[in-house]
Amino acid sequence: MRRATTAAGLVAGLLTYAERHGADADALATASGLSRERLRDPDERVPLARYLELVRVVRVALDDEALALHHGAEVAMADVSIVGLIMEAAPDMATALRQLQRYGRLALAIDDGDDGPQFELECSGDRLLLVERRPVDPGPELSEEAVTRLVCGPRRFLDRSHVLRVHLTRTAPARPDEYERVLGCPVRFGASRTEIELHPEVGSWPVARHPRYVFGVLREKGDALLARRPPPETFRERVEDHVRTVVHEGEVSADAVAARLHCSRSTLSRRLRAEGTGFRQVVDDVRRDLATAYLRAGRTSVGEVAYLVGFSDAAAFSRTFRRWTGQPPGRFRATAATAAE
């Protein structure tokens, strides 16, 4: 079965970014079903669904609809992944881009085998394009984050702009000018594919931010990581991932989640029992973790939090939250804010 994963370094990098901008990183990790302890090794694999859920809760916590853009511009690939380090150790941009094509799966991978490049160079007349071709659709957040890093990261060592324009498949945001400000080039939205038009002579531009010996060592490690398979996940973790994607819609149906997992409701119940839990308990735990994360972030009203975790009635949410924590949501948020000062 194909399984999408991302590198733990990217996940940890987003938590650090959120913390730097005033969010409670521990609460956000818990809400996304992540253990910060397990993120210490940047080369470990994390289910992509967990990272996408983290992106969602961080976006809400920071109240930033352009989170992928701002995060990608501030945190370079070399800060969070061996892919960036290999590229920055390359002698020139042509070699760096070839390393991206070879090792890009270390940032986002599909277990089971598609080893094609996720960003591929393409010549179209006199234009040089870097085109996104991923084995699965990662969603607009990951595309924007990756594109932003490819545009903004090399500015740290190049003395001129290497990007002429960017095409994104997403619809135009409320503030398209913010994308052009951050990326420093014209941006087209609603395109048929994600692509970056590069300066036609960029391949010859020097990089080599590290000694040549380091380049070889990093490539050896990269090859070893490509051969490593991600660890298995528990059935509960798979159920949690699906619950998080629909919990804001209200009542979460065991039948619907079982269908997403391609099993019967009885199989869902049996496998959860074997791991010492039940479906209602999983839903309750996901709602609790999300609610406490949003309230600790302090930028979302109690009513908005109630909606985000699937309650149509704020009073019912308050009663349930008191059962979870022993205090009403307003007091919990005030106490968390005081502790953070």
Side-chain angles (χ1 to χ4, degrees):
M1 180 179 178
R2 296 167 70 86
R3 180 185 173 202
T5 62
T6 190
L10 273 72
V11 183
L14 178 55
L15 284 169
T16 300
Y17 173 89
E19 197 166 45
R20 191 159 56 238
H21 288 269
D24 185 326
D26 289 328
L28 295 174
T30 299
S32 306
L34 297 163
S35 165
R36 295 194 80 180
E37 182 65 29
R38 293 180 63 181
L39 299 176
R40 291 187 182 278
D41 180 354
D43 298 318
E44 281 300 322
R45 310 305 303 175
V46 174
L48 179 61
R50 298 292 171 102
Y51 183 59
L52 292 176
E53 179 59 26
L54 178 64
V55 170
R56 189 176 74 82
V57 297
V58 171
R59 186 171 60 240
V60 172
L62 298 184
D63 191 22
D64 184 4
E65 285 301 315
L67 172 67
L69 177 74
H70 296 141
H71 171 227
E74 184 173 315
V75 182
M77 182 63 79
D79 297 331
V80 293
S81 170
I82 190 174
V83 180
L85 290 173
I86 293 173
M87 291 178 69
E88 291 194 1
D92 52 48
M93 283 295 292
T95 307
L97 292 170
R98 285 198 297 272
Q99 306 318 302
L100 172 66
Q101 293 177 282
R102 174 168 176 75
Y103 297 105
R105 286 182 294 125
L106 296 179
L108 172 65
I110 302 298
D111 184 29
D112 197 35
D114 189 330
D115 60 358
Q118 294 176 12
F119 279 89
E120 191 168 21
L121 283 172
E122 175 181 300
C123 291
S124 178
D126 59 353
R127 297 189 304 156
L128 179 63
L129 305 175
L130 189 60
V131 181
E132 183 180 49
R133 291 200 177 99
R134 295 184 188 268
V136 294
D137 179 7
E141 294 91 350
L142 262 65
S143 285
E144 287 182 26
E145 184 183 309
V147 166
T148 304
R149 285 193 170 124
L150 289 169
V151 173
C152 297
R155 292 177 187 166
R156 301 196 298 176
F157 50 84
L158 296 177
D159 58 5
R160 50 184 163 158
S161 178
H162 65 299
V163 174
L164 303 182
R165 63 172 177 85
V166 167
H167 282 185
L168 299 174
T169 57
R170 62 159 294 170
T171 56
R175 291 189 54 199
D177 58 310
E178 176 68 358
Y179 282 73
E180 296 200 345
R181 182 192 70 81
V182 172
L183 298 178
C185 67
V187 180
R188 174 188 165 194
F189 299 95
S192 59
R193 63 182 186 176
T194 297
E195 64 182 35
I196 303 169
E197 182 175 354
L198 301 171
H199 190 289
E201 299 175 359
V202 69
S204 63
W205 297 358
V207 180
R209 287 170 58 84
H210 308 286
R212 182 167 181 168
Y213 170 78
V214 174
F215 183 50
V217 171
L218 289 171
R219 289 191 60 189
E220 286 181 9
K221 181 171 183 179
D223 289 337
L225 291 171
L226 285 176
R228 195 165 79 181
R229 295 175 64 85
E233 60 184 341
T234 67
F235 188 71
R236 174 178 176 138
E237 287 175 332
R238 293 175 61 195
V239 172
E240 287 176 340
D241 289 341
H242 288 289
V243 168
R244 285 191 181 90
T245 65
V246 299
V247 71
H248 65 282
E249 297 175 0
E251 183 63 28
V252 182
S253 161
D255 288 324
V257 172
R260 283 171 168 262
L261 291 166
H262 305 290
C263 68
S264 67
R265 178 171 180 160
S266 60
T267 299
L268 174 76
S269 299
R270 176 176 55 79
R271 294 192 63 177
L272 287 174
R273 270 199 314 273
E275 295 184 4
T277 190
F279 182 72
R280 297 322 308 174
Q281 184 63 54
V282 171
V283 174
D284 203 48
D285 289 348
V286 167
R287 283 193 165 123
R288 180 200 62 217
D289 292 344
L290 285 169
T292 54
Y294 289 139
L295 289 168
R296 282 199 179 102
R299 303 188 189 188
T300 311
S301 71
V302 172
E304 288 171 327
V305 173
Y307 167 76
L308 287 168
V309 299
F311 288 81
S312 58
D313 180 79
F317 169 66
S318 294
R319 288 193 298 272
T320 303
F321 192 86
R322 188 187 289 270
R323 171 173 63 81
W324 287 333
T325 66
Q327 56 185 314
R331 184 185 303 166
F332 178 91
R333 183 171 58 183
T335 301
T338 300
E341 292 176 353

